[in-house]
Amino acid sequence: MVTLLLDQTQLEVVLSPLERAVSFHRDNLRIPRDAITKVQLTDDAWTWLRGVPNPGTHIPGVVAAGSWKAAGSMEFVLIRRRRPSVIIDLDGDEGYRRLILTTRHGLALTQALRLDVSVEPADVEEIVATAPTPVITGGKRPVIRPRPA
């Protein structure tokens, strides 16, 4: 599983040596924070996979890793089996249009992107764990009722 580090200016996707080997990628991915347009969580990242590895590794249902060329754009993919994943859409990044990553830290990433973070990179799990808890004031909480059919 990839490690996600976030600071005020960028998201860094830290790859393990094995992930670097199967993805044919030498360095960690560094994405400018302002290039992130949308973050989505999914239980099945395979449904988001488009195109062909260029270069990359693909063993259907087991692993898909590397750069994937799809309809004239590049995506970085690191999918393992059928595990929770995060889809990160980018706009203005020089390398990729989308990142598809298997990670159990997707929810923490979405929460951390909404917070003010330090200048030093920190793991998204740590950012969320140390963030102040919002306090609800004003008495009652709103009641959400289903609409009649």
Side-chain angles (χ1 to χ4, degrees):
M1 300 255 172
V2 296
T3 301
L4 303 172
L5 302 178
L6 185 67
D7 65 22
Q8 290 178 347
T9 60
Q10 70 181 3
L11 169 68
E12 183 174 357
V13 180
V14 180
L15 303 174
S16 70
L18 179 60
E19 291 165 340
R20 290 173 197 251
V22 297
S23 67
F24 298 93
H25 212 275
R26 292 183 182 182
D27 297 321
N28 295 335
L29 292 170
R30 290 177 180 82
I31 306 297
R33 193 169 172 175
D34 58 354
I36 299 172
T37 58
K38 184 169 40 171
V39 178
Q40 301 175 68
L41 304 177
T42 182
D43 288 332
D44 187 7
W46 293 97
T47 60
W48 290 85
L49 193 61
R50 305 283 185 266
V52 294
N54 186 33
T57 302
H58 185 219
I59 302 171
V62 179
V63 68
S67 296
W68 286 66
K69 190 169 189 163
S73 66
M74 293 294 282
E75 299 178 353
F76 182 81
V77 175
L78 190 53
I79 304 171
R80 292 187 187 171
R81 305 218 181 259
R82 303 237 186 259
R83 295 185 179 157
S85 301
V86 64
I87 314 302
I88 304 169
D89 289 332
L90 307 172
D91 185 23
D93 183 65
E94 58 194 42
Y96 299 106
R97 183 179 60 92
R98 177 181 286 160
L99 307 178
I100 305 173
L101 308 169
T102 297
T103 180
R104 60 180 164 247
H105 305 300
L107 182 59
L109 174 63
T110 60
Q111 293 170 339
L113 284 169
R114 295 178 182 175
L115 299 171
D116 290 328
V117 295
S118 70
V119 177
E120 295 297 317
D123 189 297
V124 293
E125 285 286 314
E126 292 175 17
I127 293 171
V128 172
T130 58
T133 306
V135 177
I136 298 174
T137 60
K140 295 183 178 182
R141 293 184 180 193
V143 177
I144 300 172
R145 296 190 174 124
R147 291 186 199 178

